[in-house]
Amino acid sequence: MKMLFFECEPWQETLFRKAFTKNQLFFSPHPLTQNTIPQNHLDAEIISIFTCSCINPNILNHFPNLKFLITRSTGYDHVDLSELKKRTIAFAYIPHYADRSVAEYTFALIFNLARKINLAIKVSQEHSHSIDVLRGFDLWGKTIGVIGTGNIGSNVIRIAHCIGMKTIAFDVKQNDILIKECGTNYLSLEKLLQNADIISIHVPLNEKTFHLINKKNISLIKIGAYLINTARGGIIDTDALIEALQKNIIAGAALDVLEEECLTHDPSRLLSQSHPDEKRLKIALENNYLLNHPNVIITPHNAFNSKEALERLTRETIAEIEKFKKGNG
């Protein structure tokens, strides 16, 4: 079979080549977009992507022989699943490879906000001895509200419980183990926003969670609370977030994901369009505002990015492809 791998690092390419010695392979470090379609490999049967490759009908039209698409990620909001189904293209994703990694990163962001570590590093580099601007707050005794208590959210709650935080949660399905072991209290989303000192988001992005935090409910957030998002950018309405910062409803935010983050990290993708979408352009500009806000920490979708997590991701991707090949051999 001919396989194409996008957003692929050199060490991953080595492992994929070792695993699929009898197949025709193509590798690209770039996302799969209209501008990066490999014209000499349109007969590909298997394509592997990461989060900045947006799979839509226009992309799929170029690959008439495609039989299997796999995204090396937990989320799959960048893939048009209904279109894959219409074309009878099999699909897979890797759901649990970074559960612990993302939870640990979430707390790295929380500690950073609480103790102003980024600013402390800057003060030290400037040889300043004024530490009054660095005064933070203890996490012990504070309340963390976790939106989504799947594997990642559950790990966040366990870490919070271990350092003496009170835990509240919102989810369509309660986790009885968290209630028993961590004393977690499940509340409505509105009550969680009103009572949490720190709000951390861990739900997938879909029709029900798109702009889950929006202009209607962001004003309910406890004054002075902090908002953390290591899930997907579209769960928070960027307009609402900026309004909450400007009105001092929230004291700050730590965001590993943004709406239209791929355009923010690579503006040339927006400039390459003959008629850029006005809404996407507006969000990209708003993201620049957030990047320069003194009370906002932004990292480049990095929570998954640990050595162990990526090794698990690559192994599981190989296993999923092998499973598909055996079923279609």
Side-chain angles (χ1 to χ4, degrees):
M1 286 185 167
K2 178 175 280 191
M3 306 181 194
L4 313 184
F5 295 83
F6 293 88
E7 301 174 81
C8 192
E9 296 183 30
W11 68 269
Q12 291 176 308
E13 178 178 341
T14 299
L15 293 178
F16 287 135
R17 286 193 182 280
K18 185 177 179 180
F20 304 117
T21 57
K22 297 181 180 180
N23 297 271
Q24 298 179 58
L25 307 179
F26 168 84
F27 296 91
S28 171
H30 306 294
L32 174 55
T33 68
Q34 288 288 347
N35 296 326
T36 63
I37 292 170
Q39 296 299 322
N40 294 331
H41 301 286
L42 301 182
D43 56 342
E45 296 167 281
I46 295 175
I47 293 179
S48 173
I49 60 168
F50 195 49
T51 56
C52 278
S53 297
C54 295
I55 304 303
N56 53 45
N58 290 334
I59 294 291
L60 293 172
N61 286 339
H62 290 275
F63 300 100
N65 294 340
L66 185 61
K67 295 181 174 65
F68 181 50
L69 177 79
I70 180 167
T71 180
R72 304 186 307 279
S73 60
T74 298
Y76 45 83
D77 50 283
H78 52 296
V79 177
D80 188 335
L81 296 183
S82 62
E83 193 64 29
L84 293 184
K85 186 175 181 180
K86 286 180 188 176
R87 301 172 188 238
T88 63
I89 298 170
F91 173 73
Y93 66 107
I94 313 296
H96 304 306
Y97 77 96
D99 293 346
R100 294 183 294 275
S101 306
V102 175
E104 290 176 6
Y105 194 90
T106 297
F107 260 90
L109 293 175
I110 292 172
F111 283 126
N112 204 327
L113 283 175
R115 301 308 301 271
K116 302 185 179 181
I117 295 172
N118 278 6
L119 183 57
I121 292 170
K122 183 178 179 181
V123 166
S124 295
Q125 290 172 338
E126 294 174 350
H127 305 288
S128 172
H129 299 288
S130 176
I131 63 170
D132 55 315
V133 297
L134 303 179
R135 191 156 298 129
F137 59 90
D138 290 346
L139 293 175
W140 182 278
K142 297 297 191 300
T143 298
I144 185 169
V146 176
I147 299 174
T149 54
N151 290 325
I152 296 172
S154 295
N155 284 330
V156 169
I157 285 177
R158 291 187 180 98
I159 295 171
H161 178 67
C162 287
I163 61 175
M165 298 186 77
K166 300 172 184 176
T167 60
I168 57 177
F170 166 75
D171 203 317
V172 293
K173 183 179 180 181
Q174 295 188 8
N175 186 325
D176 293 335
I177 295 175
L178 295 178
I179 295 172
K180 181 179 179 180
E181 294 182 354
C182 302
T184 302
N185 187 17
Y186 277 84
L187 304 173
S188 67
L189 178 60
E190 291 74 18
K191 288 292 184 181
L192 182 147
L193 297 178
Q194 291 169 348
N195 288 279
D197 299 300
I198 294 171
I199 300 160
S200 192
I201 297 172
H202 303 285
V203 292
L205 178 60
N206 53 43
E207 291 180 359
K208 293 182 178 179
T209 62
F210 178 72
H211 286 181
L212 185 68
I213 305 297
N214 53 60
K215 287 190 176 182
K216 291 182 179 179
N217 61 25
I218 205 164
S219 61
L220 298 176
I221 292 178
K222 182 179 180 180
I223 299 297
Y226 291 83
L227 184 59
I228 319 293
N229 189 6
T230 55
R232 285 293 185 269
I235 297 166
I236 300 176
D237 180 350
T238 306
D239 284 342
L241 174 60
I242 290 175
E243 184 176 315
L245 287 164
Q246 292 174 337
K247 291 182 177 180
N248 295 316
I249 295 171
I250 62 174
L255 311 169
D256 187 48
V257 287
L258 299 166
E259 285 194 278
E260 300 295 348
E261 64 185 43
C262 292
L263 293 179
T264 301
H265 300 319
D266 183 12
S268 64
R269 294 181 63 177
L270 186 62
L271 296 174
S272 66
Q273 300 174 15
S274 57
H275 298 285
D277 182 88
E278 183 178 340
K279 184 177 180 181
R280 298 181 74 196
L281 179 59
K282 180 175 184 286
I283 292 172
L285 292 172
E286 288 176 328
N287 287 344
N288 280 324
Y289 170 85
L290 294 172
L291 280 164
N292 293 294
H293 196 288
N295 297 330
V296 176
I297 297 170
I298 291 179
T299 56
H301 202 143
N302 190 51
F304 71 94
N305 192 20
S306 74
K307 178 177 180 291
E308 293 83 358
L310 286 174
E311 288 174 349
R312 286 191 294 270
L313 173 64
T314 305
R315 288 196 304 269
E316 291 177 28
T317 298
I318 291 170
E320 287 292 334
I321 293 174
E322 290 286 14
K323 184 167 67 175
F324 172 79
K325 288 175 61 183
K326 288 178 181 177
N328 290 268

